[in-house]
Amino acid sequence: MTEPSVWQKRIAGEWHGRPSLFDHNGTWCGFEEIRRSSDFVDGVTTYKMDGGLIGGGPLAGQFRLGAPFSFGVVDSDANRVYTGPDFFGTGQPYGSFVDSHYYGPGWQVDLNTWNQVLPDGETQVYSSVLYQGWAVVGCFNGLYTRTPSRVDELIEAETRNGPVPYILPTKQAGAFTGELELWGADQKLRGTVSASIALEPIDLLRTRRTVSWQGAGLDRVFTAETRRDGNRLFFEGPQAWGNAIGFGRASFQSLHFTDVWKVKAREFSIDAAPGMSAGRQLAVVYELFHGGNLDSVLHGLLEWRS
C-alpha cells in the first residue's frame, strides 16, 4: 500500500488524553496519562503509546508498564490487523468509528476498543473494555484531542470529569437529538439518520425513554422504562429489554427488541461534570444485529434540548 487508508488519515498526528481506569464493578481507580500516535512510513503503519498509570488501586500492578507500547498495523479500511509485539488482533472502521478486538500481552487482557472521532475532527471518544476470557475485568475510557492548544484544557477537564458517573437528567423532560451516520456491516455508508432519545422522568431513579431512528432505511421508534441502580441501568419494556453498566461517563448497553433485532451500544456523556447536573452532549454508537449477525453501525453526536 502506497497511501494510508481513510481511517489512518483521519487519525494522523499525536493524540493526548487522560482516560480513567475502572474495575469490573465500575469503580473508578485512577488515570492513564497517554500520548498516542500512528505513523505511516514507506507503506508501514506503526502505533506508539507513551505515558503511565496514575493510581490504579489493586489493578495498578497489572496495568502499569515500564516501557511505552509499540505495535505494527496492516493498514486497511476493511480490516486493520495489529501485528504486535504489544497488541495482536483486528479492527474494522465504519466511517469515523472503529471497532477493534485484540489481545495485549503486557496487560494480559483481551480488549474491545471503540474509537469514535467526533464531527469536529479533533476530538476522539475512546473506550477499551478489558476481558479475562468472557469476564470483564475493567475498562479504560475518556476523551482525546490532537489540537496542541487544547491539550492542557482537555487534561484538566478529564482529571475533573473522568470519575463522573453516567446519569442523564432526572427531573427535566427533554431529548438528545441529532443526525447520525448509518454504516452497513459491509462498511459502506447507507446514509443519515435523524435520531432522538426523549426522556420523561418518572422519579429520581426511573425514566421513560423513547428512542427514534428515522432515515437511510432505518425506521424504528421504541419506548422502554429505564431504572437506575447505582451505575447499572435496566431497560424494562414494553418495546426494549436489557441492561447496561456505567464506567464513568460511558454507559455500555445491551438491548433486545420484541422482534429479531438487538443492539450493542455505548453512550458517552461528553461534558458531564461533578455536581447535581447532567451533560448536554451525548456521543453514541449503536451496533444493530439481525439475529446473531451484525447488520449496521449507527453513530454520531446528540445535543440536549429541554
Side-chain angles (χ1 to χ4, degrees), residues 116 180 197 266-268 282-286 298-302:
Q116 178 185 13
L180 308 180
I197 304 174
R266 182 191 72 191
E267 296 176 356
F268 192 103
L282 202 63
V284 297
V285 179
Y286 304 104
L298 181 67
H299 62 79
L301 183 66
L302 304 179

Side-chain angles (χ1 to χ4, degrees), residues 127-142:
S127 67
S128 281
V129 181
L130 315 170
Y131 294 87
Q132 177 72 40
W134 286 23
V136 173
V137 297
C139 177
F140 281 108
N141 67 54

Side-chain angles (χ1 to χ4, degrees), residues 21-245:
L21 172 63
F22 302 87
D23 70 10
H24 67 286
N25 290 314
T27 303
W28 182 83
C29 297
F31 297 107
E32 188 174 35
E33 190 90 19
I34 286 293
R35 296 171 297 279
R36 189 177 69 214
S37 63
S38 54
D39 300 315
F40 183 88
V41 179
D42 297 330
V44 177
T45 300
T46 303
Y47 264 78
K48 296 179 181 178
M49 293 170 54
D50 193 8
L53 191 64
I54 303 170
L59 298 177
Q62 182 172 359
F63 294 107
R64 184 183 185 279
L65 296 179
F69 286 116
S70 179
F71 58 101
V73 180
V74 178
D75 181 36
S76 165
D77 279 314
N79 295 296
R80 297 169 60 78
V81 182
Y82 310 130
T83 60
D86 294 331
F87 290 112
F88 295 90
T90 65
Q92 285 71 44
Y94 303 90
S96 58
F97 164 74
V98 68
D99 183 352
S100 301
H101 297 254
Y102 52 97
Y103 182 75
W107 283 346
Q108 302 177 87
V109 288
D110 198 69
L111 301 92
N112 184 190
T113 296
W114 283 15
N115 278 330
Q116 178 185 13
V117 179
L118 296 184
D120 66 5
E122 301 299 324
T123 306
Q124 192 174 122
V125 183
Y126 158 89
S127 67
S128 281
V129 181
L130 315 170
Y131 294 87
Q132 177 72 40
W134 286 23
V136 173
V137 297
C139 177
F140 281 108
N141 67 54
L143 302 178
Y144 282 81
T145 184
R146 62 176 169 188
T147 305
S149 62
R150 291 184 55 204
V151 171
D152 290 345
E153 176 186 358
L154 180 132
I155 296 299
E156 180 182 351
E158 287 297 279
T159 303
R160 182 177 66 254
N161 300 337
V164 173
Y166 167 97
I167 298 176
L168 300 186
T170 54
K171 287 190 174 181
Q172 186 179 37
F176 288 94
T177 64
E179 300 295 308
L180 308 180
E181 290 185 353
L182 182 67
W183 292 76
D186 58 2
Q187 299 167 289
K188 295 180 180 178
L189 180 64
R190 291 185 182 174
T192 301
V193 173
S194 294
S196 170
I197 304 174
L199 305 178
E200 181 186 348
I202 300 169
D203 56 35
L204 294 179
L205 297 177
R206 294 183 302 146
T207 298
R208 187 170 293 105
R209 174 188 290 220
T210 299
V211 177
S212 173
W213 299 327
Q214 304 289 333
L218 181 60
D219 182 8
R220 183 177 288 268
V221 179
F222 61 93
T223 297
E225 186 168 311
T226 62
R227 175 175 56 89
R228 182 171 62 85
D229 180 5
N231 64 323
R232 290 170 170 80
L233 193 64
F234 299 88
F235 300 86
E236 299 179 331
Q239 294 164 326
W241 298 83
N243 59 18
I245 185 169

